[in-house]
């Protein structure tokens, strides 16, 4: 019999890639979406006739119980969150409600409604923050540097707590930065690829960025959703660090992106202090050896391929839809 998967945050970057992966594996795919006056189904538009959407909200326990009753999932992937780090300083309480307490509400609903379901929690490398060791592995102590990172630590540990207290099959994937052409325009990688396309096509001349020296372990989102699925196929639930094990600066990302279209980044990039974080996370580097050994997981797309993929996608997007050139201006 086909398995049923429920994805919260299905309209996001990871949700859309995960939905594709699960559909290809023969799953019935259900997505939970928040009721809002403006629908943002752009990333899953091509899947709309293959998936089922249900209204629910991580702030509302009654709606979560209803969605679980309606879908009867075998696997639950909790990808919904307020996930943009800078916003977490402007809306710290709302970030905590969604990204921390929202996990508790969902886990508690699972415990009461479908305790046999397997649960995946989207943890984040931002939990490591001011890193205590490099590279970061499953045993590295957390030191979050943003309200988002703090909320993710809570979500991570409440998942561990429910696993150990109620014997739920609950896993956390500590995912390092993962990007794609479906990344939101507010994230620095997409801001760069979109900016490069705008400049190359003559819509703009400058790209304003924050800390060029920040180092990240960047991978392709399509590779990382495969790791999520693998975690829920194991005999025992566990937590895994997912990343490439290589680190690059924002400056490197910009240099490669501009070079891909024959431009010199130094002619166009301007450092703007308004994009600096109140508390910076300087370097994040994954040690994914546990995931490689136990899950057999390996990323397929390397850093250079990822940058080229994102720039090419934004070039095509703006050539096809010129009106989007001002979207992130």
């Amino acid at each position: 019999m086909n398995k049923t998967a429920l994805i919260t945050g299905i309209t996001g970057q990871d949700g859309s890639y995960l939905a594709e992966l699960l559909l290809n594996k023969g799953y019935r795919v259900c997505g939970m979406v928040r009721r809002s006056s403006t629908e943002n189904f752009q990333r899953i538009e091509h899947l709309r006739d293959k998936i089922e959407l249900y209204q629910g909200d991580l702030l509302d326990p009654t709606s979560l119980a209803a969605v679980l009753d309606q879908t009867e999932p075998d696997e639950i992937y909790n990808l919904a969150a307020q996930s943009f780090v800078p916003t977490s300083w402007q809306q710290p309480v709302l970030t905590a409600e969604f990204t921390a307490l929202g996990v508790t509400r969902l886990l508690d609903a699972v415990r009461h409604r479908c305790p046999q379901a397997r649960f995946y929690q989207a943890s984040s490398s931002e939990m490591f923050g001011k890193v205590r060791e490099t590279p970061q592995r499953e045993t590295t102590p957390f030191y979050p540097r943003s309200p988002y990172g703090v909320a993710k630590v809570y979500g991570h540990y409440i998942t561990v707590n429910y696993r150990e207290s109620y014997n739920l099959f609950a896993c956390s994937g500590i995912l390092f930065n993962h990007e794609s052409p479906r990344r939101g325009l507010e994230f620095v990688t997409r801001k760069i690829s979109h900016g490069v396309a705008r400049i190359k096509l003559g819509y703009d001349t400058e790209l304003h960025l924050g800390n060029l020296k920040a180092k990240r372990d960047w991978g392709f989102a399509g590779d990382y959703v495969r790791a999520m699925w693998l975690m829920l196929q194991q005999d025992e639930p566990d937590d895994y660090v997912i990343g490439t094990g290589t680190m690059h600066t924002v400056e490197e990302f910009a240099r490669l992106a501009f070079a891909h279209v024959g431009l010199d980044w130094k002619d166009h990039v301007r450092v703007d202090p308004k994009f600096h974080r109140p508390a910076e996370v300087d370097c994040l580097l994954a040690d994914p050896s546990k995931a490689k050994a136990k899950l057999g997981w390996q990323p397929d797309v390397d850093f250079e391929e990822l940058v080229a993929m994102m720039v090419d996608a934004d070039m095509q997007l703006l050539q096809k839809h010129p009106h989007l050139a001002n979207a992130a201006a």
Side-chain angles (χ1 to χ4, degrees), residues 144-215:
R145 297 271 281 169
S146 66
Y148 170 75
V150 173
K152 279 291 185 185
V153 170
Y154 178 101
H156 180 83
Y157 276 127
I158 202 70
T159 303
V160 173
N161 193 263
Y162 269 64
R163 174 170 76 217
E164 295 177 354
S165 303
Y166 302 115
N167 204 27
L168 294 182
F169 193 109
C171 300
S172 285
I174 306 172
L175 270 55
F176 280 64
N177 295 62
H178 45 290
E179 317 296 318
S180 77
R182 298 180 195 172
R183 194 56 143 150
L185 286 167
E186 68 272 24
F187 290 88
V188 68
T189 50
R190 183 73 198 288
K191 186 178 175 182
I192 292 170
S193 64
H194 196 264
V196 165
R198 284 207 321 272
I199 290 166
K200 180 64 178 177
L201 295 171
Y203 294 110
D204 215 339
T205 56
E206 292 186 351
L207 176 61
H208 290 244
L209 298 172
N211 180 12
L212 297 181
K213 302 302 177 194
K215 295 177 182 172

Side-chain angles (χ1 to χ4, degrees), residues 82-141:
Q82 190 299 100
S83 63
F84 187 46
V85 175
T87 298
S88 76
W89 273 286
Q90 294 153 12
Q91 299 181 333
V93 177
L94 187 65
T95 298
E97 284 287 355
F98 275 117
T99 309
L101 292 179
V103 186
T104 317
R105 293 186 191 101
L106 184 52
L107 278 166
D108 214 52
V110 170
R111 175 167 81 93
H112 290 294
R113 300 289 176 161
C114 50
Q116 299 312 309
R118 297 189 165 202
F119 181 87
Y120 171 84
Q121 166 60 14
S123 288
S124 166
S125 59
E126 287 285 334
M127 301 190 304
F128 295 120
K130 191 174 181 179
V131 299
R132 313 323 278 155
E133 63 178 353
T134 298
Q136 295 88 51
R137 50 185 68 87
E138 291 79 7
T139 53
T140 303

Side-chain angles (χ1 to χ4, degrees), residues 242-255:
I242 303 297
T244 68
T246 59
M247 192 163 56
H248 302 274
T249 62
V250 173
E251 183 180 299
E252 280 179 84
F253 198 106
R255 178 171 55 77

